[in-house]
Amino acid sequence: MSSDWTQCAITPAVNHEGFASLGVAVYRASTIPFENAQAYATRRERGSEGYSYGLYGTPTTRTLERKITALEQGRRTLLAPSGQGAITAVMLATLHAGDQVLLPDTVYPPVRDFADRDLVRLGVQVDYYDPLDPADLVRRMGARPRLVWVESPGSTTMEVQDLPRIAALAHERGAVVGCDNTWATPLNFKPLAHGADIVVEGLTKYFCGHSDVMMGSITVADNALGDALRAFLGRLGVGVSADDAALVLRGLETMALRLAYNARVAASLIDAVRAQPEVARVLYPTLADSPGHAVFRRDFQGASGVFSVVFTPQAAPHVAAALDALRIFVIGASWGGTRSLVAPMPVRAHRTVRAWEGDDMVLRISVGIEDEADLAKDLQGFFQALRDRMARHAGA
């Protein structure tokens, strides 16, 4: 019999027969043991679905990948440490020096920063196009368009893009099409079914649903592209924690319920917000005057709980200070969790194709799962504080 020290280190085999759980087990591993030397020597023959080292997946992460793949109607999903990490991984894996990437002018600001600083440094040609004008995309295509990126709705200002049209134009020139679908989730929009080759989700947000995990996903329509991305992530040494994957799996189980509630309450709050004299405009794809509304009605199955508010020139300078009156809404980045959030977002500095018309500060609001009446009352308090500040300023 082995010594106590050895017995402490070795885990005995336990019979799993007859055991089942509705929850997904958390399989943590770096080292994966092999039954013999031959199995270890031929481990690469196990293929992309086999297990050889924890970095390349465990049953927990594979379960999340398969669940997302089914929702996206794709062929394969890969996980990244964040939504931004998923986007940058796609770009680094697909672009070479001399290639061109075309980004919508409304792209997520950290993606713009990455493109302008890092892709340019690597010799990639970076160009921005009008998200609402597919013809502008064609005009800006150079000799080697490799990747056309779509973010629909656009970051902060909510422009909905005509993905089927953009994908057709990009494919005519041999370019790959990627789409950031974090606002809608696959419950409300399926980019792969509308022509995209790659769809990225910020799992940090609606999928996780509790504001305590950072993760992103990459789902592809082609297995060869999936294999190339998997190999690239492996070379970078990029993986995700099984514990984090389990938390996302848990959040995913309630995502449909949360999204439905978020959208219903957002619509109710928007009606009240639009009635405020301090509000110039609300940006939300379900509204007839929101950019790309017709495309939204044609292609999307529903909305999320994130919308943006543009204030009048008289009110805008006082919005940031008035936010301190909020008691339920939290001032913070991200969205999709249980708590409702507000975030003042600058816009003008992140536009180079079409100048932003309106105040530079746009207030992004994300609806959580708090009581609808409580949220409405909290916004009333904010608007009262805003009016009070405007009055004091006028009387000064």
Side-chain angles (χ1 to χ4, degrees), residues 140-221:
R140 295 175 187 275
M141 283 187 178
R144 288 174 56 181
R146 172 59 179 157
L147 176 64
V148 173
W149 197 252
V150 171
E151 182 177 335
S152 184
S155 186
T156 304
T157 48
M158 302 287 165
E159 293 87 349
V160 176
Q161 297 187 248
D162 190 343
L163 176 56
R165 179 62 178 151
I166 290 170
L169 294 170
H171 290 155
E172 285 177 5
R173 296 292 302 276
V176 173
V177 178
C179 179
D180 182 345
N181 194 46
T182 303
W183 182 90
T185 82
L187 298 183
N188 288 323
F189 185 56
K190 298 186 187 298
L192 299 182
H194 288 81
D197 303 290
I198 303 167
V199 56
V200 166
E201 304 282 355
L203 305 182
T204 303
K205 297 178 171 62
Y206 282 117
F207 278 78
C208 169
H210 292 78
S211 306
D212 57 1
V213 171
M214 301 294 297
M215 197 178 294
S217 65
I218 306 164
T219 305
V220 297

Side-chain angles (χ1 to χ4, degrees), residues 312-325:
T312 64
Q314 298 76 21
H318 307 283
V319 169
L323 293 176
D324 291 342

Side-chain angles (χ1 to χ4, degrees), residues 78-111:
L78 303 161
L79 302 176
S82 68
Q84 172 75 356
I87 294 170
T88 58
V90 167
M91 293 184 178
L92 289 172
T94 57
L95 295 167
H96 300 82
D99 286 345
Q100 182 189 28
V101 60
L102 295 115
L103 306 167
D105 200 34
T106 51
V107 72
Y108 181 47
V111 175

Side-chain angles (χ1 to χ4, degrees), residues 32 34 43-59 61-62 65 75-80 86 89-94 198 217-220 222-240:
I32 293 175
F34 292 79
R43 64 192 183 279
R44 298 189 188 282
E45 298 176 10
R46 294 184 172 190
S48 60
E49 293 302 312
Y51 297 104
S52 60
Y53 191 63
L55 177 67
Y56 305 110
T58 72
T61 58
R62 296 280 172 81
E65 289 172 353
R75 299 301 296 272
R76 182 168 189 182
T77 295
L78 303 161
L79 302 176
V90 167
M91 293 184 178
L92 289 172
T94 57
I198 303 167
S217 65
I218 306 164
T219 305
V220 297
D222 176 73
N223 279 329
L225 181 57
D227 288 342
L229 284 166
R230 179 184 184 273
F232 178 76
L233 290 171
R235 292 194 299 273
L236 287 183
V238 171
V240 303

